[in-house]
Amino acid sequence: MLTSASNLLTSGFSPKTDELVLIRIKLINIINILTAFFSMIFFFYNFLNNRIIFSVVDFLTAFIMICNIVLLRVHKKPTVSAFITCIIFFILSVYLLFIGGAEQFGYLWSFFLPIAVIFLIGLKGGIVVIIVFYVTAAVTIMLPVIPFRLVEYSSAVKINFLLVLGLISIVAIYYEYSREKPYKKLMLHEHWFRAVIENSASVYAVIDIEGKVLYESPSLVHVYGYKPEELIGKNIIDLVHPEDIPSALEELKNLIKNPGKVKRLEIRYRHKDGTWRDIDVVGINLLEDEAVKGIVLTSHDISERKEAEREVSILNETLETRILQRTEELRVSEEKLQHSEKMRAIGELAGGIAHDFNNQLAGIIGCADLLKSNLAMDTELYVCAETIVNVAKNAGKLTAQLLAFARKGSYHRIPVNFHNLINEVIVLLERSIDKRIVIKKQLSASSSVVVGDRDQFESMLLNIALNARDAIQETGIITFSTEIVDYETAHPGEVKPEDSTGTCLKITISDNGSGMDKETQKHIFEPFFTTKSRGKGIGMGLAAVYGTVQSHNGAIEIESSPGHGTSFSLYFPLEDYINEETHMKKPQLTMKRGNARILFIDDDEFVVRMVELVLKKLGYSITCFQNSSEGIEWFRNAYHQTDIIFLDMVMPGQPTAEVFEELMSIHPEAIIILTSGYSINKAVEILLEKGARGFLKKPFEIAELTGIIADSLAGGDN
């Protein structure tokens, strides 16, 4: 019954209202009710005894107290009501002193005033009211004459009243001070804790064993958008993502089974705006704690972290993919580099072999020519000698292909119109290949002039076309096409030309033959590699093509697969030439006799012996050296007795360029003819620019040798 009465006095106030404030509210109501009750009794008592003034005061007091109670319940402002109560209490106490209350029961009312005001309005306000009341009470009972005072107090009453009032006031003040200090400390701590909870990025909740929400911290509205009262009494599982509900229920069961244990879970939780947020939840079972009696959950939004993790995961996948792609690119580049290095090494080997072989052929052809010159044309020995020359020349073509592959210089660098050249090659092919193979052309390039060796270009086109012919079974199509492309967009696949970034001519020769697999494509440009049966090819055609392309600053790529034909694409830098140089046939040469004095420097004994024998036979005076130093010393002493010097480009020991410089320093007007088993290359071109009169490529016929001697003595360059 007392609990019900107490609750009735504080009904209408928020459950969150401070406990001390609730006590003050109860006290205000009790004082107001008691004061109103006793004021009404005195009202009737004074009214029946015809004490009108006192009855009016009593009625006004009761009315003010009732109004104060109503004011407190309507406006819920306990501070205002406490202040009004203290004023009424103060006035009644003074009023009782005026009518003799210090000698009757009024002193009890006065003694209760310090305790009431201290508790109702606090320490500071209470001290002020107590001091004012003490001074007022002292003046009221101590002064001999006071208007409206109905009694005169004795000295004993005065002293006793003031002493007791002062003692009660001091005790009330001390009690409130000693009680208020820890209370303020507690309130400060509570305020700090409330501020932390309300402004935390985490949300604190208490749920019961069924998952119903008992408490939600104010930070809920900032994190998830809900007000705490919106979720109180609801089941927290209702806001969990359907896919995460089984794991959430499982963890809730584990928490219930393990009091005091901490569990952690990441789930998706529905925000008030309808979106799903990733949250991290930490729970602890405090069902057995009398102060809590629930499961405490601490959660915070980790959506940004999860999104960052997803982005990092995507970036990692992208990076891994890029690393794999780059690794593959590096592997391909490494394979290309290894292939390029291998081809370069093979080229050096092939070039060296071709050079030495040309020296041998030079001796064979020279000796055979000498035999022919001493035999009658209708004899069997003449025919044998001529056969030797022809066979040696054919062997020379093979070495020419080796030199083309080795890129040991080009022959004649002239403007070549590829459209004209392709048309000529097509004419040759149509006369020689099976009629069931159709040759088509799509010459779309607006310009087709490239600077280079026309014979090598022609051989290049023929070699590719003949390989296409061999790949076609009975019927098929070979197509020649041209177009203008840009190196940057074309990306030639084999070897990208150095210092070539402008437009280029793309020549494509394709067929619909048997095609090649990847493994075969890796080796097709290697010398002597062939897929043909014995007797049908020696594997030098495409090797020569590769060398021709490289020596002309071009690029080559191949596309092929078994059963789908093959396509060769050739890329060459375009030149701004309008007319191509006329392709002239070499004139027929004959051996010429003479009496010129010749210095011949060559390290090949076979060549030296052949040249010495032949030229002496034709009337020339010749001195030969296989060592360049010996040749220089001889020339130093006999330069005035020398008409022409033949100098081999590949000599052991001192570089040929230095030998040339020394010879020219001895006699600046010396006529020096350069010889080599290689074609004209950069080194030869430099020496020709420095004054060399000509170049003779091995193997050479006697007629070529005597012809260049005659031309040089006549003042021409060769």
Side-chain angles (χ1 to χ4, degrees), residues 142-153:
M142 293 298 289
L143 291 180
V145 178
I146 292 294
F148 305 109
R149 188 176 65 188
L150 302 181
V151 294
E152 183 66 31
Y153 297 106

Side-chain angles (χ1 to χ4, degrees), residues 457-493:
F457 284 152
E458 182 181 48
S459 177
M460 173 188 72
L461 296 177
L462 281 170
N463 276 320
I464 296 175
L466 292 176
N467 271 276
R469 175 202 65 185
D470 295 339
I472 295 174
Q473 303 293 330
E474 296 183 353
T475 61
I477 300 173
I478 299 174
T479 304
F480 290 81
S481 64
T482 63
E483 60 178 317
I484 303 297
V485 297
D486 186 86
Y487 270 124
E488 295 298 325
T489 55
H491 296 296

